[in-house]
Structure formats: C-alpha cells, structure tokens
Amino acid sequence: MKLIFAGTPEFAAQALQAIIAAGHEVALVLTQPDRPAGRGMTLQPSAVKKVALEHGIEVFQPLTLRDAEAQAKIAAFGAEVMVVAAYGLILPQVVLDMPRFGCINIHGSLLPRWRGAAPIQRALLAGDAETGVCIMQMEAGLDTGPVLLRRAFSIEAVDTTGTLHDRLAALGAGLVVEVLGKLPLPAESQPAEGVTYAHKIEKVEALVDWSRSATELDRHIRAFNPFPGAQALFGGQTVKIWQATPVAGQGEIGVILSVDRHSIVIACGEGALAVSELQKAGGKRLPVQQFLAGHPLKVGERFDRPE
C-alpha cells in the first residue's frame, strides 16, 4: 500500500519501522521541524525523521498543514492512506479527505477514555487497571473518530510511563500493520459515555504533595518517570524521587519516619512511602545507600510542603 506517515517521537518511529518492514511503500514522511536539544542546544532531528532518512524516504517538515502549498505537496503523492502517530500538528479536513482510505491514527489509550496529549501519564495518575491502543479513523474532532481495532492490557503495579510507553509503542506498531493489511475495515463509533481528556502534562504537576495518600504518590512517581521526574522539596532544594513503595506507617506529613540502606520512609496524608531511588539537583539517580553517603537524611527531618 502506498502511504504517507506523519509522526515525531519514538512512539511513532516504532510504527514507521514496522510499516516499512511489512513492505508498504512509504512515499513521504511528515514530522515536526528539527528542535534544539542537548547541552549545546544544537538542532536535532525527530526520531521519525531519523528512521525516514535511514530508509531514503523523503521528509517534509512544515510548520502548518493549513497552507495551500503544504496541502498541494501532500496531495501530489496520491497516497492511499495516511498513518498518523503523535505527530503534533492538526490535520485540516482537506488533508483528512485526501487519501482514498482517509487518515488513521495510533492512539495510546482505550478510547473514549483519555483522548488528547498525555494518555499514558493520565492513566497512571488515575489508577487505571488497564490501558491499550486504538487504531482510529481520524476526523476533525480531537481523538473522536471511530475505532478500527483496539487491544488492551493490564497496568502492573510497577509500571511507569516509560515502561507503558514501550509496551504501547510496540503494540501500536503491530496493530497498525494489521489494519493496513485489512483495509477497508468496519469502524466502531466511540460511545458517548466514558469520555475523558488527557490534558498535556505541565512541569508544575510533578511536585510531590505529601498530604496526599501513599497510594496516590506511588502512582504520581511512576507517572512522571522518566519525564520530568517527581519533584520533592527538602530544605528548599529539589530532590527527584524515582522509585518508591507504599508501606504502613503514620506520622506528621512529610516527616522521615525511618532511614536504612534500603529506603527512606516518609509519612504521607495516609500511609507512608518507602523511597528507594533519588536524585539531587545536578546529580545522578542513586539508590538510597549511595544517596545518603553524600546527602545524609535523619529520622524526624521533614520534606517541605509545596506552596
């Protein structure tokens, strides 16, 4: 099948690799413009652009798809379908209508739950029992289109955004290849009930509020791993918490209840959190024993409450 692929991050790059491996003709790749990154803030290509260049596929990086020149370029390829995954630009109706089979999207949630930009983090923060991937026929609304294929799996107690991302990306890559091999497929309209929106994650949300329950904070820490990292405050300094487990315990909120070489136990609004991996600003992620060697913490000391 002759297709156009539109995507930007690693989640999309895995799908592009799978589509190429399945033997489809990817005539054009759309991706976000190169962005400055790293210490030198040099321009870096997206993960999708790297895959496209490795396979000699033409790359197009418009700032918008609303101008006639960009639309004419896309139309000229005569693609049968466009596959979209975490692209980052809105597709106007004229573009959605161009391919014979329209545009299909790989979305990392069980629609209509968690439409929008951050479905993985929002599912973890909400304590969802499962997540999955939907391959959706795109329409003008935000992730409102009918679903061609869906597959679910359980969210485990140790899952982070990072681990879920990898499982969802692999699943999405497999499902989109399956759909491409069966087009045209019947699509199932999304139900009106159960709609939730996965609003974009803001850095300020990463702050740890010890007045919340240990169960909530466990989900919070896993949701912000690997980015931007759950941020606690101690003595006015930021300490990122990367790994923790809810445990029994009670005390004044934010106070350290016990310290040993395996964990630092901190009182929460309900229960306590045994923290086992931390990172001081400018430092490395460290297990508790190594962290304490450079930053001793004592029973009775207290983590700050966010303002």
Side-chain angles (χ1 to χ4, degrees):
M1 186 168 285
K2 184 178 183 181
L3 61 89
I4 291 173
F5 185 90
T8 299
E10 181 58 33
F11 182 90
Q14 289 195 38
L16 178 57
Q17 288 274 28
I19 289 167
I20 294 167
H24 295 287
E25 179 192 347
V26 182
L28 178 70
V29 162
L30 304 177
T31 192
Q32 287 279 311
D34 296 2
R35 303 279 192 231
R39 291 192 174 180
M41 294 302 283
T42 54
L43 288 176
Q44 299 291 329
S46 72
V48 162
K49 182 177 179 178
K50 290 176 184 176
V51 172
L53 294 178
E54 285 169 10
H55 292 274
I57 300 167
E58 183 178 344
V59 175
F60 183 36
Q61 298 173 273
L63 293 173
T64 177
L65 295 180
R66 296 193 182 280
D67 67 75
E69 187 178 342
Q71 293 170 8
K73 182 177 179 69
I74 293 166
F77 282 86
E80 295 174 88
V81 67
M82 184 187 294
V83 176
V84 182
Y87 176 33
L89 284 185
I90 292 171
L91 273 60
Q93 192 65 47
V94 65
V95 174
L96 293 173
D97 293 340
M98 279 179 189
R100 178 158 66 102
F101 294 117
C103 300
I104 61 173
N105 177 253
I106 308 168
H107 187 75
S109 82
L110 298 174
L111 294 168
R113 188 162 176 78
W114 302 129
R115 295 173 179 171
I120 304 175
Q121 292 95 332
R122 297 300 176 195
L124 275 171
L125 286 168
D128 288 4
E130 64 176 6
T131 187
V133 169
C134 287
I135 309 297
M136 172 188 60
Q137 191 79 47
M138 293 180 72
E139 55 184 35
L142 176 65
D143 299 328
T144 57
V147 174
L148 298 162
L149 189 63
R150 70 170 66 224
R151 196 79 38 86
F153 60 79
S154 297
I155 296 177
E156 306 298 335
V158 294
D159 270 322
T160 64
T161 288
T163 62
L164 284 182
H165 169 279
D166 293 349
R167 289 162 71 191
L168 290 165
L171 178 59
L175 290 186
V176 77
V177 168
E178 186 177 335
V179 166
L180 289 174
K182 294 177 178 177
L183 287 176
L185 274 173
E188 181 182 337
S189 296
Q190 294 183 36
E193 304 79 34
V195 175
T196 58
Y197 287 95
H199 299 288
K200 183 181 177 183
I201 293 291
E202 304 291 342
K203 279 192 177 182
V204 68
E205 292 183 75
L207 281 174
V208 172
D209 180 356
W210 297 102
S211 68
R212 294 163 65 190
S213 72
T215 301
E216 286 180 285
L217 289 180
D218 166 51
R219 298 199 302 256
H220 179 96
I221 290 161
R222 291 186 287 118
F224 292 105
N225 182 352
F227 179 82
Q231 298 173 22
L233 299 172
F234 186 86
Q237 301 295 310
T238 299
V239 178
K240 288 189 177 183
I241 298 178
W242 292 108
Q243 199 164 351
T245 307
V247 294
Q250 61 180 28
E252 192 178 343
I253 291 169
V255 168
I256 297 173
L257 302 178
S258 67
V259 179
D260 61 31
R261 61 195 182 94
H262 301 295
S263 68
I264 301 161
V265 177
I266 304 159
C268 306
E270 183 181 319
L273 207 59
V275 176
S276 53
E277 186 180 5
L278 308 91
Q279 180 181 7
K280 199 78 179 280
K284 296 179 180 178
R285 291 173 59 159
L286 295 172
V288 160
Q289 190 170 12
Q290 293 180 37
F291 183 88
L292 291 172
H295 313 284
L297 297 174
K298 299 180 179 65
V299 172
E301 292 183 323
R302 181 175 179 166
F303 278 80
D304 305 342
R305 294 279 293 275
E307 295 179 2

